[in-house]
Amino acid sequence: MIEFIPLWLFAAVCICLLFGYPVAFSLGGTALIFAAVGSLAGTFDSVFLEALPNRLFGIVGNGTLIAVPLFVLMGVLLEKSKLAEKLLESMAMLFGTMRGGLGISVILVGMLLAASTGIVGATVVTMGMISLPTMLRRGYDPALATGTICATGTLGQIIPPSIALVLLGDVMSNAYQKAQLEMGVFSPKTISVGDLFVGALVPGLILVCMYIFYVVMVAWLQPHKAPAVPREELRNGSTESLAVQLIKGLVPPLILIFAVLGSILSGIATPTEAAGVGALGAAILAWASGKLDFQTLKDTVYSTTKVTCMVFMILIGASLFSLVFRGFGGEELIHDFFSQLPGGVVGAMIVVMLLMFLLGFILDFIEITFVVVPIVAPVLLAMGLDPVWLGIMMAINLQTSFLTPPFGFALFYLRGVAPPEIKTQSIYKGVLPFILIQLFVLLLLSIWPELATWLPEKVYAD
């Protein structure tokens, strides 16, 4: 029974989370209680905890993680400057006059917003507030409208520069080096956040294209669910020409996104440096739109500090959890379990993906990235899996989990801002086709890993 203590530890953390306790303190507190009891019972060596100070210094001194507050700052500034509303108006004028055009506009704006904010909750809430009333007023089917918004909001998980990919890239890099050392490779290769950013581009664009294809097919087969809108209604009485409105709405965010991603892809800047460029660019856009006053700056800094503190507190709690988990022999238990699974690396991968999918119902991507990935990734990478491919598979898997009824986070976010007349069943019904699309993309990646690995090899080829 002693060898199963790591599983009890993990179960205890999940129970604490279900009771609503903060994630960081659930991880750290549960680990300390198990460590104390284990020390008294002689089943845990407290010397493992002596490594905690070095880990904490490693966290606060990690240059990659500086990108987190900078990307959050960029996203909050863009939200405060009403950029998403201008984007949606511009896209609606381009596509709204065709059947399904508003749905296509929402998908494209959500993609750009995901590339600007990288935060699933922020994208879903923002798109729900500004686009759902418009789509319903224009006669869109509630299930189609809500499903499109939820699915588009989760693109923040996979479209770079995603905060999820920043955190996942840092954890995956450590796991990859650890796996290589265990295999006897003493000059290990490394992967970076930039590798994951580039690797996510093709799968992310495939998702966007398939979302658009689905909306177009619904509009073609069932026109009453996605009607066209007269251009006069889309103009909202504006006297400006269509070209001027498009330039004002589309050009500024596109310049910012190209500056951030372009600097990474061209090798001019690291993801952390590009995050600085993005934060500065967002501040300039907010100032240019007349939205950068003292109150906006105060609210932005407060929101950024709050999210950053949450991320780093969870990381500290996860570090303590992983030390205690290792002290109880958790790594050996996981390794033995995977090695005995039927199907070898395929069986292990299926089990891990299923586990992460189910955990996505009760844990956010930050907790899963810091708690689950460090446990399972070294074992899977030691089996020969590509780290970029594995990271993208995990990201899309969690994206699907956040969209799946009845516990998907994206559904809760939209339910919170949707009008009362929108039934929860309509939201559940609307997301089902998009879940099938994401599962299909996961299948494509499983069959052709090159969809995630080809572009990083070309971009970063020596």
Side-chain angles (χ1 to χ4, degrees), residues 109-120:
V109 171
M111 177 189 71
L112 295 175
L113 200 60
S116 303
T117 65
I119 306 172
V120 171

Side-chain angles (χ1 to χ4, degrees), residues 258-282:
F258 285 135
V260 173
L261 289 182
S263 60
I264 296 173
L265 297 180
S266 63
I268 297 174
T270 64
T272 301
E273 294 165 343
V277 172
L280 177 61

